[in-house]
Amino acid sequence: MNLSSRLRAQLLLGGALLAMTATPALAQTAPAATPASAPENQPAPQDTSSEGLADIVVTATKVTTNLQKTPISISVLNTEALTDRHVQSLFNLADGTVPSLRIATFEARQSALTIGIRGIVPYDQNQTARDGGVSVYVDSVALGKTQGLNAALFDVERIEVLKGPQGTLFGRNTEGGALSLVTRAPSGEFEGRIAGGLGNYGSRNGEIHVDLPKFMDFSFKLDGIYQHQDATVKNPLAGSYGWNYYDREGGRAAARWEPFTGFIADFAYDYAKDENTPQYSPLLSYNPRGYAVGTYVNTAPAGATPVYSLLTSPTGVPCGGTIAAGSTKPVCIAPLAPLVKVHTERQKVADIGVPQQPSVDITHGFSANLKYTAAPWLELRAITAWRGVSTDQWDNSGGANRSTFAPNANFSRYSLSYLRQHQFSQEFQAVGSSGGFSYVFGAYYFRERATEYAATPLSNQFNADGSAYTIRNPIIDSSATGVITSANSGYQPYAPSCNNTLAPVAPQFTNSCQFITRASEAFDHNYSAFGNVTYTPQGADWLHITAGGRWTKDKRYGQLYVVNNRADLNPLSATPNSVARPFTFSNSISRFDPMINVAVDATDDIHLYAKYSTGFRAGGANDRSRSFNAFGPESVKSYEIGAKMNFWNHRARLNLAGFIMDRSNTQFDFDLFDTNATSPTNGAHIEQTQNAGKSKIRGIEADFTLKPVPELTLTASYAYTYWKAPSAVNSITGGLPQQLYIVYTPKNAASGAIDYEIPVGGGDAKVRVHLDAAYANSQYSFQLEPTKTDPSFIVNGRVALADLAVGTSNRVTFAFWVRNLFDRTYVYRRSSANSSPVLNYNGAALVSANFGGILGDYGNLNPPRTWGFELSAKF
């Protein structure tokens, strides 16, 4: 079969999957008559009738409800759905399993994720004083930072994707929605599960989950997990790691205390370590605008130190560089180094070796969740949590693919970051129902401190003609020449003597040899009180009217005390002998977020709702700016209607939602690579966040599940999202207004799945076959660039011989899984910033254009096909 025939076959099979299917269990609903005392992480019993679709329970309204009767748009991935897709971490959901949920790496890094819902997608929240618009919760505890989000998942019972603003019950930073992970609670009975597997790219995984018998009113549960994958793109530099590598491990201990009826206390401690390398960033094009290519010529006299100039030809005139408006200087760009190649296909080995070691993310936390049934109509809850994240980031994903060639020039930006974050949260809730009213009232407090310093040394150096390179020490500054080793002898770090000027202001760097590009710290205090009341009139139990609101006081402050290795850029005054001080910012807001929801039970199986809600994303400051400039919060108003329907004797389910969202004071990032030789930030990447205006987002979502026969389940999901972003003037460069873009938001996205079970040999044994597929249109991946990514279409699968009886109570499962079945390759992140000149303005007037950085587009590719075998057992 030739290439085109194989492609047609893949498209036909993929089209059949999409036509028949979609995602895992998806949903939307309103409080059912479930007792308020039902623990949130131990749902009420479900209807597991094999003839029809099982009920799905969720805790999106802070009580356990039937998904079909909960009047908000929700998608749910249960344990089986996660296992079928071999979801080991949140990044595995980046293929579009839930169409409205968009997940991507920040830059190329696995160590921090970008998470968005319904077009509310952050661009760069990977900082000390910035947040995203979609919050992630683990057992009702919000995670304050995106660093560490790609850690291994611990025995997750379900993931609830709450779509649309959740400002009333979940608070700030949920203007797009919330991602709620619910782990399995201790059962109080002796049981366990163990699993292990092997796959391609040296992958191996193992996990163990043990429940211990209840003893003295205590139940205990222990979880351990390990995941490993070798690099999918190898690094030719000996001793350095390749790209898309990970090695994850962690453990969790949970205890449940039930000293008397009506009181439950859940305690948990978790620790996870994730070592990973970024995705590789290939050069996707060279000189796509077709500029003239110059030639480097040594213009120094014979015997003198070489001086290389870029000329139109070996005997031509100087060209390129910065050209003033109206100048007749010829335009040209630097040639491509001989070692650097354009790759639109997937690489197995990078063209150039660079120092690359794993980033190390460590997450840990303790939580206490207390529930007390004070009366039949009232449950009191207290949720207390301490959490922390430490990230040592090492990102050398670009090599020579993101910087132009010059003779003997340094290249390959090694992005290093060292972040530490600690948070404490306390929440109190009063939940209950009485006389046609059900309610949730609560108070919340959140405190956070985050510190970070970063360095961006250039790790490699070209020779005069670009035919070879050497390795520099990656922690010295860009002017150091130090001892270097040859490219084929491996990376040997060393510690040169340092002349550190930061000690007076930043004593922690006294012995540091790094050129610190920035160092900052930020503090956050959030206070809120909220309430949510649903009224069901007597005699009209088909009508449910919900009103809620949340008052929030949000205070954030911090300081930027190192900028481009200098701590003396902000004097107190212009008077002699003035003392330098850090750049500081302070934000404090108070706001109220209301919510109104009217739900109607048209029949026992058809539920309709209309909802108005608001939410906001906190303000902060950008530590990549020159002076820690502050920006305000953005907010959204959302209007949503929906329908949730079961039909054909519960063999079919269709959930629909349509929404209109208007976002004000949208936070957009403007950036500049500072090439001004007289600027204190020369050579640094400068970024400024500003509240740029209003955005409009509109969309439709549909989730369909069909179970025509007990053995077969078909699911399908679709999301249409339209958006319009404002134009704004770049606050750094000036000039004319430029169009802004919302990232990682395709206009059309769909997913589907087929699940088929065949009983074998009597008993509970069966063969389970699973296939799922996901498609998305091309989309933008940079807020300032009109360049789009590739469309994506990915198919995953799993075949298992499940629940084979071994002895009287043990069950064993053998499985084969595959992700990206057809080994499709697409660019999920693409930048054309290096394909055009940098324009410099004075106000709205163009002053000059800098052609010195023109190279071509670069980007990141989706993971290749991975597969493996797994053996698991229940005891």
Side-chain angles (χ1 to χ4, degrees):
M1 183 181 290
N2 60 32
L3 179 62
S4 61
S5 298
R6 290 198 302 270
L7 179 59
R8 285 195 297 270
Q10 293 173 11
L11 289 174
L12 286 172
L13 178 55
L17 285 173
L18 284 176
M20 298 174 63
T21 62
T23 67
L26 304 166
Q28 306 152 26
T29 31
T34 305
S37 59
E40 288 186 67
N41 61 343
Q42 188 169 313
Q46 301 184 33
D47 176 10
T48 57
S49 169
S50 62
E51 294 298 320
L53 295 169
D55 290 340
I56 300 171
V57 296
V58 295
T59 53
T61 56
K62 301 296 184 181
V63 294
T64 300
T65 59
N66 184 323
L67 178 137
Q68 291 302 102
K69 297 179 181 180
T70 305
I72 59 176
S73 181
I74 311 171
S75 295
V76 180
L77 293 164
N78 59 20
T79 302
E80 188 173 84
L82 297 173
T83 301
D84 285 340
R85 291 159 176 80
H86 198 67
V87 174
Q88 295 185 307
S89 70
L90 289 179
F91 185 49
N92 291 138
L93 298 178
D95 57 10
T97 298
V98 179
S100 293
L101 173 66
R102 311 313 299 180
I103 296 179
T105 58
F106 171 70
E107 290 286 331
R109 301 159 196 160
Q110 296 188 66
S111 56
L113 297 180
T114 294
I115 298 179
I117 297 175
R118 286 187 174 177
I120 305 293
V121 189
Y123 175 64
D124 179 8
Q125 81 281 28
N126 195 38
Q127 301 180 26
T128 55
R130 300 195 65 180
D131 298 319
V134 173
S135 284
V136 178
Y137 293 79
V138 176
D139 293 334
S140 300
V141 176
L143 306 183
K145 284 286 172 279
T146 58
Q147 285 89 342
L149 285 185
N150 202 32
L153 298 176
F154 288 114
D155 202 17
V156 172
E157 183 177 86
R158 67 184 183 276
I159 297 177
E160 299 179 10
V161 183
L162 283 59
K163 306 168 194 174
Q166 307 296 319
T168 300
L169 290 177
F170 287 85
R172 66 172 190 167
N173 302 329
T174 59
E175 56 173 350
L179 203 61
S180 178
L181 282 65
V182 181
T183 63
R184 198 181 307 273
S187 68
E189 299 179 1
F190 180 70
E191 58 186 4
R193 290 169 293 120
I194 188 170
L198 297 172
N200 64 337
Y201 293 106
S203 68
R204 51 191 181 272
N205 65 279
E207 56 184 285
I208 184 169
H209 311 280
V210 178
D211 272 283
L212 300 177
K214 181 182 287 189
F215 176 75
M216 299 290 290
D217 299 323
F218 282 95
S219 303
F220 296 95
K221 182 173 183 290
L222 302 174
D223 302 300
I225 197 161
Y226 176 71
Q227 301 167 357
H228 174 93
Q229 177 184 278
D230 291 343
T232 59
V233 179
K234 294 181 179 179
N235 191 337
L237 179 62
S240 279
Y241 284 73
W243 293 273
N244 194 23
Y245 158 95
Y246 61 79
D247 189 88
R248 309 181 188 120
E249 59 186 31
R252 185 174 186 269
R256 169 166 286 185
W257 182 38
E258 301 173 277
F260 54 86
T261 302
F263 180 81
I264 298 175
D266 285 317
F267 307 95
Y269 174 78
D270 63 87
Y271 174 93
K273 181 179 181 181
D274 176 16
E275 296 187 356
N276 60 80
T277 58
Q279 308 290 314
Y280 187 65
S281 299
L283 183 65
L284 301 174
S285 66
Y286 170 66
N287 191 18
R289 307 287 186 266
Y291 297 109
V293 178
T295 302
Y296 279 107
V297 177
N298 180 10
T299 57
T305 301
V307 176
Y308 293 93
S309 300
L310 188 61
L311 307 180
T312 55
S313 67
T315 58
V317 297
C319 61
T322 299
I323 300 179
S327 171
T328 58
K329 182 180 179 181
V331 172
C332 75
I333 66 170
L336 194 63
L339 294 177
V340 180
K341 309 296 182 185
V342 172
H343 291 277
T344 56
E345 79 287 356
R346 196 182 300 281
Q347 292 174 253
K348 294 183 180 297
V349 182
D351 296 325
I352 291 178
V354 299
Q356 176 67 72
Q357 66 187 75
S359 298
V360 180
D361 303 317
I362 294 176
T363 59
H364 55 90
F366 171 80
S367 65
N369 192 327
L370 312 181
K371 300 182 181 74
Y372 172 59
T373 304
W377 45 269
L378 175 64
E379 180 179 270
L380 302 177
R381 301 173 182 171
I383 305 170
T384 308
W386 292 264
R387 294 206 63 84
V389 176
S390 69
T391 294
D392 292 351
Q393 170 193 297
W394 301 81
D395 176 5
N396 206 346
S397 59
N401 302 325
R402 295 180 60 176
S403 56
T404 55
F405 165 72
N408 301 315
N410 299 327
F411 70 95
S412 196
R413 181 177 183 266
Y414 205 177
S415 180
L416 316 179
S417 169
Y418 308 91
L419 178 136
R420 302 294 183 266
Q421 182 260 9
H422 292 87
Q423 67 177 65
F424 168 77
S425 61
Q426 178 65 64
E427 183 169 3
F428 297 103
Q429 297 174 7
V431 182
S433 60
S434 178
F437 291 90
S438 59
Y439 57 84
V440 177
F441 293 101
Y444 181 74
Y445 172 68
F446 176 87
R447 182 183 71 223
E448 177 189 61
R449 177 176 185 255
T451 64
E452 183 211 25
Y453 74 93
T456 54
L458 300 177
S459 62
N460 291 37
Q461 184 178 26
F462 275 122
N463 66 354
D465 62 5
S467 61
Y469 59 91
T470 51
I471 304 299
R472 309 173 67 244
N473 186 330
I475 66 168
I476 59 179
D477 68 39
S478 58
S479 64
T481 54
V483 176
I484 52 180
T485 61
S486 64
N488 59 7
S489 66
Y491 160 50
Q492 302 295 329
Y494 71 106
S497 60
C498 303
N499 180 16
N500 196 298
T501 61
L502 303 179
V505 175
Q508 65 269 43
F509 300 130
T510 299
N511 298 316
S512 172
C513 298
Q514 291 174 312
F515 183 97
I516 306 300
T517 55
R518 68 180 186 273
S520 68
E521 65 176 346
F523 300 84
D524 191 5
H525 296 269
N526 178 272
Y527 314 81
S528 62
F530 59 92
N532 199 69
V533 179
T534 298
Y535 174 57
T536 301
Q538 186 175 6
D541 56 1
W542 49 268
L543 177 64
H544 314 281
I545 302 172
T546 302
R550 189 183 194 105
W551 171 85
T552 300
K553 175 73 172 180
D554 199 49
K555 184 177 182 180
R556 174 173 273 170
Y557 57 92
Q559 61 177 347
L560 176 67
Y561 49 92
V562 177
V563 178
N564 229 31
N565 215 48
R566 292 179 63 180
D568 59 348
L569 298 180
N570 190 24
L572 289 171
S573 69
T575 59
N577 302 317
S578 61
V579 179
R581 64 183 176 89
F583 295 102
T584 61
F585 87 97
S586 180
N587 275 346
S588 181
I589 66 151
S590 178
R591 60 173 284 128
F592 180 75
D593 287 295
M595 187 275 291
I596 299 174
N597 195 319
V598 178
V600 174
D601 300 329
T603 70
D604 289 342
D605 293 324
I606 298 177
H607 309 279
L608 312 174
Y609 69 90
K611 178 186 177 186
Y612 168 78
S613 60
T614 67
F616 79 101
R617 178 185 178 190
N622 194 315
D623 63 18
R624 304 186 205 277
S625 66
R626 290 189 176 105
S627 55
F628 221 22
N629 293 339
F631 54 87
E634 66 180 26
S635 59
V636 67
K637 295 180 179 179
S638 174
Y639 309 84
E640 179 178 334
I641 59 173
K644 300 188 173 185
M645 298 166 281
N646 285 325
F647 49 95
W648 195 19
N649 293 326
H650 282 231
R651 289 191 176 94
R653 177 176 295 154
L654 176 63
N655 295 335
L656 303 171
F659 61 89
I660 295 174
M661 298 200 304
D662 295 321
R663 182 166 53 163
S664 302
N665 298 316
T666 310
Q667 297 171 10
F668 279 99
D669 298 326
F670 294 86
D671 56 9
L672 169 72
F673 188 78
D674 193 347
T675 58
N676 184 348
T678 63
S679 170
T681 53
N682 179 36
H685 173 244
I686 304 302
E687 189 176 89
Q688 177 63 51
T689 302
Q690 63 190 67
N691 298 102
K694 294 184 178 180
S695 303
K696 297 182 181 294
I697 305 173
R698 313 287 189 256
I700 298 171
E701 297 162 343
D703 300 315
F704 177 68
T705 307
L706 176 66
K707 193 173 184 180
V709 294
E711 298 82 12
L712 177 65
T713 303
L714 309 175
T715 57
S717 292
Y718 171 74
Y720 167 82
T721 310
Y722 163 84
W723 57 262
K724 183 177 181 180
S727 299
V729 175
N730 188 322
S731 58
I732 304 174
T733 63
L736 300 174
Q738 62 185 104
Q739 180 61 52
L740 305 174
Y741 302 92
I742 295 178
V743 298
Y744 300 118
T745 304
K747 179 172 286 188
N748 296 284
S751 64
I754 300 172
D755 290 281
Y756 187 64
E757 290 188 1
I758 308 170
V760 293
D764 296 328
K766 52 187 170 289
V767 173
R768 295 192 68 253
V769 179
H770 169 88
L771 279 176
D772 66 82
Y775 168 81
N777 285 148
S778 57
Q779 55 207 274
Y780 300 97
S781 53
F782 287 83
Q783 289 185 335
L784 303 182
E785 299 182 30
T787 304
K788 285 190 172 183
T789 67
D790 295 338
S792 62
F793 178 71
I794 295 296
V795 177
N796 307 314
R798 186 174 190 263
V799 178
L801 179 58
D803 296 331
L804 292 173
V806 178
T808 57
S809 59
N810 301 329
R811 297 291 183 270
V812 174
T813 297
F814 301 90
F816 171 77
W817 60 267
V818 59
R819 291 184 59 83
N820 192 3
L821 175 64
F822 299 131
D823 202 21
R824 300 295 298 272
T825 299
Y826 65 90
V827 178
Y828 75 83
R829 177 176 172 270
R830 185 179 190 125
S831 173
S832 59
N834 296 339
S835 295
S836 300
V838 175
L839 304 180
N840 301 307
Y841 292 87
N842 182 5
L846 179 64
V847 175
S848 63
N850 189 323
F851 291 82
I854 292 181
L855 179 63
D857 291 10
Y858 72 90
N860 300 109
L861 307 179
N862 66 302
R865 176 170 54 210
T866 53
W867 54 264
F869 296 90
E870 191 169 77
L871 172 64
S872 60
K874 299 177 183 178
F875 56 88

